Amino acid sequence: MKSLTPPCKAAIAILASAIPAAVTATSFPYAEPAFRYRPFHKLDTTSQNIAQEKLGYLEVTWNNHGLAPIEKKGWPALTSNERDAAVTLGFTQATWDCFINHYEQYSWEELEEKGVQEHYIKLGWTEAHWNHELESVPYTEGRWWDQLTDNEKQAANKICYFEPNWDKLDMNSNPSFFPHPMPNFRYVPWDELSSVSRNIAGGMLNYTQSSWDNHGDAIVEKNTFLNLKPEQREGAIELGFYTHTWDCFMNHYLSYFWSSFHEDLKVAIVTLGWDEDMWANDGDMIPASEGKIWDDLSPEEKAAATRLCYFKEIWDSEPITQWYDYNAGKNTAVTADGPLPKDINLEIFQETGYVGKAPGSVGAEVYTVAGLSAGTSHKLTSSLVVMILSMGAFLVF
């Protein structure tokens, strides 16, 4: 959807595996560029080279819609070389402006000329919103696809949104039981990072050795990915983060409004004992789970915490230096390719599904199960004083 600074869509979606069934092509004004919804590793070598060398995509920005700087440009803003590259991949001006830019770079008057202004109006947009004259944004910016009405979905289709790009599908491979690929590089102590990584973390994200080694201490982790300052977001991408991994493993969705919780994410929050009043009251009331260490959580609560990208060491606020094996050069916590600990009951997501896995196909039998026990607890409690800053991305102070 139309963005403030930077351009971004509503509260970050959390699908993580196969693309859901798309709406039919007849719902769109133009033929869907199906290749754009194909994971980077499944593109042919020529297409990969064009995407990277001519359009500036990285694998991570190709696999996450709306993240690449090139996608913030409408067709007229592309250079002649960029247009040639886009055409070679299979785009036309119409499909680029609709499916990639969604007309975001055009003025309100130009939207009317192109016949798409009415669709944005149906999604709650006004000229004042579009021109950044209001602090608020349309409520649809805080909704996932399944939360839109049928009329809103139809309007979104006309500007080439459908579930995968509206919900910003994560096309990165993720065989683990975490919702998104685990950023193992974040769980390396400061003094073990390369000089390049330390310079990025310190210079662009304002980490110190202490705030890096103690997860949750850094101010930057109070923000969603799309609400980071441009330099911070660039630094996060250089380290290896993207929207989903940052919001889940770094922010744990603490910066989301209650209305942004949906399906399996809502199940996780509620299972941990939160309700809307607690979430909005900035710590005046908190659920019992907030006072528990990881080992005292029930299997259902551990599953809920796992959905929020917690594991024992992070939940219990243990410094990275305590669970990093310096001799082996890796952390000793649950790893991305590790088995599902037997005391995590993912069956709480049987009705909603679990980040892309269909309802009814969730549970221990889906994963390799080990006798591991994960362990400790960094609380969800934080100063949930939130405000909208851009297109459904929220900031916590």
Side-chain angles (χ1 to χ4, degrees):
M1 297 302 297
K2 170 71 172 177
S3 311
L4 303 184
T5 304
C8 60
K9 238 288 297 157
I12 311 305
I14 51 177
L15 298 176
S17 60
I19 295 178
V23 294
T24 61
T26 54
S27 299
F28 300 128
Y30 309 104
E32 174 193 337
F35 63 89
R36 181 60 190 90
Y37 307 101
R38 190 174 299 141
F40 188 82
H41 75 274
K42 291 189 176 181
L43 298 177
D44 60 66
T45 302
T46 299
S47 295
Q48 289 180 350
N49 290 338
I50 292 171
Q52 289 181 314
E53 297 174 11
K54 303 296 185 182
L55 296 174
Y57 281 100
L58 305 172
E59 182 169 3
V60 66
T61 57
W62 178 272
N63 285 341
N64 290 268
H65 301 292
L67 194 57
I70 193 73
E71 296 188 354
K72 310 301 186 286
K73 294 182 178 182
W75 188 265
L78 298 178
T79 67
S80 60
N81 287 339
E82 289 170 341
R83 285 196 295 271
D84 289 345
V87 169
T88 302
L89 282 179
F91 288 109
T92 64
Q93 177 171 355
T95 56
W96 180 274
D97 278 345
C98 195
F99 283 94
I100 302 303
N101 185 250
H102 307 285
Y103 307 99
E104 289 183 0
Q105 198 178 47
Y106 291 93
S107 69
W108 187 252
E109 292 75 18
E110 288 171 329
L111 294 184
E112 185 174 18
E113 294 172 6
K114 289 185 171 295
V116 298
Q117 186 189 93
E118 63 178 299
H119 307 310
Y120 271 107
I121 290 174
K122 289 177 182 178
L123 289 168
W125 287 91
T126 65
E127 183 173 7
H129 286 120
W130 197 262
N131 293 334
H132 307 170
E133 296 170 0
L134 300 176
E135 292 185 2
S136 63
V137 294
Y139 78 94
T140 54
E141 289 298 296
R143 296 290 183 269
W144 299 348
W145 184 259
D146 285 345
Q147 292 178 300
L148 299 178
T149 67
D150 288 342
N151 286 337
E152 289 165 348
K153 289 178 181 178
Q154 291 172 10
N157 287 161
K158 297 303 182 184
I159 49 176
C160 297
Y161 278 111
F162 60 128
E163 187 169 358
N165 60 10
W166 181 276
D167 282 350
K168 297 210 181 315
L169 178 77
D170 183 355
M171 295 192 292
N172 286 293
S173 175
N174 178 30
S176 79
F177 58 86
F178 285 107
H180 300 287
M182 187 177 182
N184 281 316
F185 60 87
R186 178 60 184 87
Y187 307 117
V188 175
W190 181 266
D191 58 10
E192 291 293 293
L193 294 174
S194 68
S195 59
V196 172
S197 294
R198 278 200 302 271
N199 288 338
I200 293 171
M204 301 178 75
L205 292 164
N206 299 318
Y207 277 104
T208 64
Q209 180 168 357
S210 177
S211 62
W212 179 271
D213 287 344
N214 292 273
H215 178 82
D217 284 1
I219 294 176
V220 72
E221 294 175 3
K222 311 303 180 187
N223 271 338
T224 61
F225 183 84
L226 292 177
N227 224 23
L228 297 175
K229 295 177 181 178
E231 182 185 42
Q232 292 174 328
R233 194 180 317 104
E234 180 183 350
I237 291 174
E238 288 191 31
L239 286 176
F241 286 110
Y242 56 96
T243 311
H244 304 285
T245 53
W246 181 275
D247 282 5
C248 197
F249 285 95
M250 295 298 100
N251 184 253
H252 306 288
Y253 306 104
L254 293 175
S255 301
Y256 278 39
F257 281 129
W258 185 262
S259 61
S260 296
F261 296 136
H262 181 56
E263 294 190 342
D264 54 339
L265 187 56
K266 181 72 167 288
V267 168
I269 294 293
V270 171
T271 298
L272 287 169
W274 290 94
D275 60 30
E276 186 171 5
D277 288 339
M278 287 183 185
W279 196 259
N281 283 337
D282 192 26
D284 291 342
M285 298 183 297
I286 58 174
S289 64
E290 288 297 297
K292 297 179 181 179
I293 62 172
W294 181 272
D295 289 340
D296 290 339
L297 294 175
S298 69
E300 292 73 27
E301 289 171 331
K302 289 177 181 176
T306 299
R307 177 60 190 84
L308 305 179
C309 292
Y310 284 105
F311 48 95
K312 173 181 170 58
E313 289 77 6
I314 296 300
W315 183 271
D316 287 344
S317 301
E318 296 179 7
I320 296 174
T321 52
Q322 293 185 9
W323 42 280
Y324 186 81
D325 185 335
Y326 285 84
N327 292 325
K330 63 180 182 180
N331 74 70
T332 59
V334 177
T335 57
D337 57 354
L340 175 69
K342 65 180 181 180
D343 54 355
I344 294 179
N345 181 16
L346 290 180
E347 292 184 4
I348 64 172
F349 303 112
Q350 281 285 13
E351 292 186 7
T352 61
Y354 182 71
V355 283
K357 293 181 173 63
S361 66
V362 179
E365 67 276 5
V366 177
Y367 305 94
T368 301
V369 180
L372 302 177
S373 176
T376 286
S377 137
H378 177 38
K379 317 295 190 288
L380 284 178
T381 305
S382 70
S383 54
L384 287 169
V385 180
V386 291
M387 61 183 293
I388 295 180
L389 291 185
S390 65
M391 311 313 297
F394 307 108
L395 170 65
V396 172
F397 298 98

